[in-house]
Amino acid sequence: MSIKGLSEQLRMPRIGKIHLGYKDEKKKGAPTATDYFVCPDEVKKVYGDKPKQLPVMIPTEDEEYWASQYYRAYSQTRGLICKGDGEKGRRMIDAKTLDIPGKDTTGVIWEDIDCQGRECDMYKSKKCSEMMCLQFMLPEVPGVGVWQIDTGSINSIRNINSEAHLIKGLCKHISWLPLLLTLEPEERQIP
């Protein structure tokens, strides 16, 4: 037997996160991009201190699991407070005030909303942005589960989606193929 609405909800165990930069303490924690993957020690043991490429495998065909892409808003005290796809979304609100929860909020509820994407006030005030959570396995690193890289770069999101579409077109699937995730500079076209 299974519990309807619960038992079919699966999560891939996340071993850790890999970053595309670091927070520069000299610049008050401002994000600073690197030309290499910023990895935990167990990954560095296998690929070195500053790897620019990682052999990866996608563990499932379901893109919702391995390449989750949404508009997302976070707060320092609550974590994820809003998530939408540009049409529909879910937002955490203060149960008493019905506003975005603050540090003094004692109870919250989640409500379904119409997601306005880039037209949303939270997006316009830079509290929300496009975000892809890329999850993959590192077959050469000990452990069973996935590693995650988050990116808010629209170009990176487009590049990953385009490459995945191409691979699926050629191979008819993307899961369990030996792939190479690379970090490469991209020239920006300035009009």
Side-chain angles (χ1 to χ4, degrees):
M1 281 296 203
S2 63
I3 301 170
K4 301 297 180 200
L6 174 63
S7 299
E8 66 273 9
Q9 295 176 2
L10 304 176
R11 293 183 185 160
M12 292 186 286
R14 188 174 78 190
I15 299 171
K17 290 184 91 168
I18 297 173
H19 301 279
L20 302 173
Y22 62 95
K23 292 182 180 179
D24 191 339
E25 297 308 319
K26 295 176 185 173
K27 297 179 182 177
K28 298 180 183 177
T32 302
T34 57
D35 64 348
Y36 57 89
F37 294 107
V38 179
C39 301
D41 290 339
E42 56 267 44
V43 178
K44 288 180 184 178
K45 286 179 186 175
V46 177
Y47 300 115
D49 286 341
K50 297 180 179 181
K52 294 186 179 193
Q53 57 186 25
L54 297 169
V56 302
M57 286 185 164
I58 304 300
T60 178
E61 291 298 312
D62 188 344
E63 291 177 7
E64 180 63 26
Y65 286 104
W66 71 267
S68 174
Q69 305 165 51
Y70 290 97
Y71 290 98
R72 296 175 193 258
Y74 294 88
S75 82
Q76 290 183 343
T77 55
R78 300 267 175 194
L80 181 68
I81 58 169
C82 194
K83 174 178 158 182
D85 63 7
E87 293 178 0
K88 295 179 181 179
R90 290 190 45 82
R91 179 173 290 165
M92 179 189 293
I93 59 172
D94 185 304
K96 291 180 184 172
T97 66
L98 303 180
D99 288 329
I100 299 297
K103 63 180 180 178
D104 298 326
T105 299
T106 57
V108 298
I109 55 176
W110 283 90
E111 70 174 353
D112 293 329
I113 61 165
D114 292 328
C115 175
Q116 299 172 355
R118 292 181 174 198
E119 298 304 313
C120 176
D121 289 339
M122 288 180 70
Y123 186 92
K124 289 178 180 179
S125 64
K126 301 192 183 309
K127 294 177 184 171
C128 172
S129 64
E130 298 90 346
M131 181 68 62
M132 173 187 269
C133 300
L134 181 65
Q135 294 189 329
F136 49 86
M137 297 179 81
L138 294 172
E140 297 172 19
V141 177
V144 177
V146 294
W147 294 86
Q148 181 172 315
I149 294 177
D150 298 333
T151 182
S153 164
I154 292 171
N155 286 327
S156 293
I157 293 169
R158 286 181 179 147
N159 290 344
I160 292 166
N161 288 335
S162 298
E163 289 293 328
H165 182 76
L166 178 64
I167 291 166
K168 285 182 179 182
L170 291 171
C171 301
K172 306 296 182 229
H173 67 101
I174 195 163
S175 60
W176 304 113
L177 294 172
L179 303 171
L180 194 60
L181 182 63
T182 61
L183 188 57
E184 300 174 11
E186 184 170 281
E187 289 186 33
R188 294 188 178 202
Q189 301 293 326
I190 301 173

